[in-house]
Amino acid sequence: MHSMSPSDASGAIGLPSFFNTRGRKVEPLTIAEPGRASIYTCGPTVYRYAHLGNLRSFLLADLVVRICQFAGLKTRQVVNITDIGHMTDEVTGEGDDKILLAAEVEGKSPSEIADFYTGAFLDDCALAGMTPADDYPRASKHISEMIELIECLLDKGNAYVSGGSVYFDVSTFPGYGSLSGNSLKQLKPGHRKVVTDPQKRRAEDFLLWKAAGPRRLVKFPSPWSEGYPGWHIECSAMSLKLLGDRIDIHTAGIDLVFPHHEDEIAQSDAATGHRVVGHWIHGEHLLMSGNKMAKSAGNTLRMTDIAESGLDPLAFRLLMFGARYRKQVHFSMEALEAADTSLTRLRRAFGDLGEPLPLDELEMSSSATRAHEEFSKAVMSDIDTATAVRVLYSTASNRSIPSIQRVSLAAAWDRILGLNLTDTQSTHTPEPKISGEEVLELIKARDAARASRDFTEADRIRDRLAEAGVVLTDTPAGTDWYHG
Ligand SMILES: [Zn+2]
């Protein structure tokens, strides 16, 4: 019998390899603690919806987590939620925070805005079939850790206070530029153009803490001023707090290499005195009509747009898998429709083959073994989804592999692909027509109507819920409900 699990006792497959932006080569993952991988992913700034371009970055993080698990590692993934506006491009020329601006425009409080878009982000990730992270820390809840880290950098002589703000002194960190390949010399001209901050000693120094201006509503006390943290210190502080000072993998989109990650390395490595992140994995852009998909370019689409167009949101995954993550991908609805059709065909091909079994319970044919080796090698070699998907297609139509083995392979590979390949129904995951919160509110209203013996209203609410696919059962302990 061929042993098929990648994490079996022989350990033949070992650890996955990824391209490491730091060093610019594909190298095997090294892990700080045997059997475990810690993963930090730069999360969204929650004052607007995430678009498909953002989702491509988070899909990369999802793949990295799934591949580590496929290799038999236990994973811990942290995705931060930036709920204080402080990125350079998220603060307008007047220093207005875009979360606050959005709050003004939408007539909500800043925390309502942050909660709303955090919820929308998590819904989008779920639609895209992503495994939830283990923790989604919010920046606003970790200000004290950021202040502590800044104090540590001041103590070590890596930072200075100027006019109530605190800056990182880049000249004290010799490795600065190693991630992005920007030497300090190269950086200077680029920085000089945009420098407007007279408090800085040098153009390339960056902000750790900013004293609040008169218009700033959300600010926090600190030893230096009432103010708010820089964006980069947020990720250093939360990753060190939640994952410790040896983090195996850090993922994000390619546009965060400089300055965000360069600055994160300077802060974290200077504070701890050693290299904190082992592997930096960055994903390329999603293009639409030839341009990077971005809010500013006005060419964004959301996951919910895919669902509303009647296509399966998971077709987005299959479409993205067609290219490696380090390649730019052109998005079009036509390509997405083609991916949707392919997904339906794949499910049909695997759907009629019976119940999948764990691979190690099967006597595998040599062609099944070969297919599994090819698939495993592809995903373990710098996330070669393009090859993995080719193996999937050829296996779907390979009748020399017995049915039970084919469907079992599909089920095993789906732990990485997340395409619901072996669901017998055509698994369009319909977007719930009504949120859990709305259901609870309606049930409350119905209970009140029943209590005041307004049965017409109670029935109306029951019908309204039934239309949305929610079935109610009245029990002595209250009303139970489920999506029918
Ligand atoms: Zn970050």
Side-chain angles (χ1 to χ4, degrees), residues 23 35 58 107 132 140 185-186 202 206 228 235 287 393 409 443 452 454:
F58 296 112
S140 63
K185 233 178 176 177
Q186 280 174 316
R202 268 171 296 270
F206 60 89
Y228 53 99
C235 280
L287 306 178
Y393 282 125
L409 285 171
I443 288 175
S452 60
D454 183 352

Side-chain angles (χ1 to χ4, degrees), residues 306 309-312 315-316 318-319 331-345:
I306 296 180
S309 70
L311 300 176
D312 190 321
F316 177 69
L318 186 59
L319 179 61
F331 179 87
S332 71
M333 280 313 277
E334 292 72 32
L336 185 67
E337 278 162 24
D340 184 77
T341 307
S342 302
L343 185 54
T344 307
R345 284 204 193 116

Side-chain angles (χ1 to χ4, degrees), residues 45-60:
T45 304
V46 284
Y47 69 93
R48 63 185 180 203
Y49 292 117
H51 56 65
L52 295 183
N54 305 134
L55 267 285
R56 187 184 183 204
S57 290
F58 296 112
L59 180 57
L60 167 62

